[in-house]
Amino acid sequence: MLWIMRFSGFFSAAMVMIVLSPSLQSFPPAEAIRSSHLDNYLRLPSQVSPVDSRNRFSFRKASVFRNADECGSTAYTITGETSVCDPSLVHVAITLDVEYLRGSIAAVHSILQHSMCPENIFFHFLVSETDMETLVRSTFPRLKFKVYYFDPNIVRSRISTSVRQALEQPLNYARNYLADLLEPCVRRVIYLDSDLVVVDDIAKLWTTSLGSRTIGAPEYCHANFLKYFTAAFWNDKRFSGTFNGRKPCYFNTGVMVIDLKKWRRVGYTKRIERWMEIQKSHRIYELGSLPPFLLVFAGHVAPIEHRWNQHGLGGDNVRGSCRDLHPGPVSLLHWSGSGKPWFRLDSKRPCPLDALWAPYDLYGHSH
């Protein structure tokens, strides 16, 4: 009976894979530009020794992706580089962490494969280690991108222990500072985690209306919202009262559309930092960077279709057990949880749905 169940699971994944298989069309090259945006967040401190990622990772060069005929052209600076301020661009922010680098590269690859206008996508890569730019350019030679150094010391003193050590990494908190890191002319951005693949045209997500809201994300109002905070939080009206007059729902911060203009005007970064400071002294949550976002935004989120975050494929935060897809259409597959597809595939113990991530993997070999 057990072998029948396993076969059934792999067969189901194979059928979904047929539906979601990457397009074979090819699009024009995107162009890489070098980062020159330096401020308090984007600086390489002298005490940080560069990490040559090429000595640890080798990725195959991706195919060249070209715009369809109906795509408009992007603007260029006098040096021939693409202007980050070009209003026709779709802005996508992703972290490049050494432990999750393989996932980040696969995510970028999936976005390019399914985009009708890949030339119009500009990637903002957030890093805490140097020399990532060389690795990205060698894998995607014509990609439009910029690398932003995020100083871990900005948040290290505010981070408290979590249910999983990976959730305590400073780079997880870089999303809190996107409004400061990115150029003022970038007024909207899609933030994506590193453990996902996009199987639809990301321009559809980009054009989502946020209305009067600052962020948009798929909401899950049937989830037990109480579990995201401790008893100390719910028993103290100074803290739990923050949800008075709101109808808070859980949302996953791994896929968000953010209005950076509104974020900057209101100063949401300071509000998130304030909750992180309260956490250090009162222990009001257990789950890393997610709860501060819930505290600030839950009940004030522009709802996005669930198809844009089929999350939880990495299982829970402890065992990382296999999960099935949620019912409904799929535009983005997200391996949130402790089980990552590249680790499970390498260990020869994959979950059925990990086969849907594998076609976007460009990992070559370790030196």
Side-chain angles (χ1 to χ4, degrees), residues 205 208 217-220 302-309 329 331:
L205 180 59
T208 298
E219 291 184 294
Y220 303 89
I304 291 176
E305 288 183 273
H306 288 178
R307 67 188 301 151
W308 285 105
N309 196 351
S331 292

Side-chain angles (χ1 to χ4, degrees), residues 260-276:
L260 295 175
K261 181 181 179 182
K262 290 180 182 175
W263 184 296
R264 294 175 181 122
R265 185 175 69 243
V266 177
Y268 282 115
T269 297
K270 292 297 182 184
R271 297 190 185 187
I272 290 174
E273 286 180 336
R274 176 56 183 153
W275 282 113
M276 292 175 68

Side-chain angles (χ1 to χ4, degrees), residues 149-189:
Y149 179 80
F150 177 72
D151 187 352
N153 292 322
I154 292 171
V155 292
R156 186 166 279 135
S157 64
R158 295 187 175 99
I159 297 174
S160 55
T161 56
S162 182
V163 295
R164 185 158 55 92
Q165 189 174 8
L167 300 177
E168 301 170 20
Q169 299 306 309
L171 202 56
N172 285 338
Y173 295 83
R175 72 193 86 186
N176 303 358
Y177 298 89
L178 283 168
D180 302 302
L181 287 165
L182 274 55
E183 290 78 358
C185 64
V186 180
R187 303 172 71 167
R188 171 182 281 221
V189 69

Side-chain angles (χ1 to χ4, degrees), residues 231-280:
F233 173 86
W234 293 113
N235 292 333
D236 193 326
K237 296 300 181 184
R238 293 176 302 167
F239 305 144
S240 59
T242 192
F243 293 121
N244 289 347
R246 294 158 64 178
K247 294 182 178 179
C249 295
Y250 162 75
F251 65 94
N252 181 282
T253 54
V255 179
M256 296 185 291
V257 181
I258 305 174
D259 185 326
L260 295 175
K261 181 181 179 182
K262 290 180 182 175
W263 184 296
R264 294 175 181 122
R265 185 175 69 243
V266 177
Y268 282 115
T269 297
K270 292 297 182 184
R271 297 190 185 187
I272 290 174
E273 286 180 336
R274 176 56 183 153
W275 282 113
M276 292 175 68
E277 290 164 1
I278 291 172
Q279 160 73 354
K280 292 290 286 187

Side-chain angles (χ1 to χ4, degrees), residues 343-364:
F343 292 138
R344 296 194 296 213
L345 287 164
D346 286 352
S347 68
K348 309 300 183 184
R349 299 182 65 183
C351 292
L353 291 177
D354 294 345
L356 302 180
W357 179 88
Y360 305 100
D361 185 18
L362 292 173
Y363 181 65

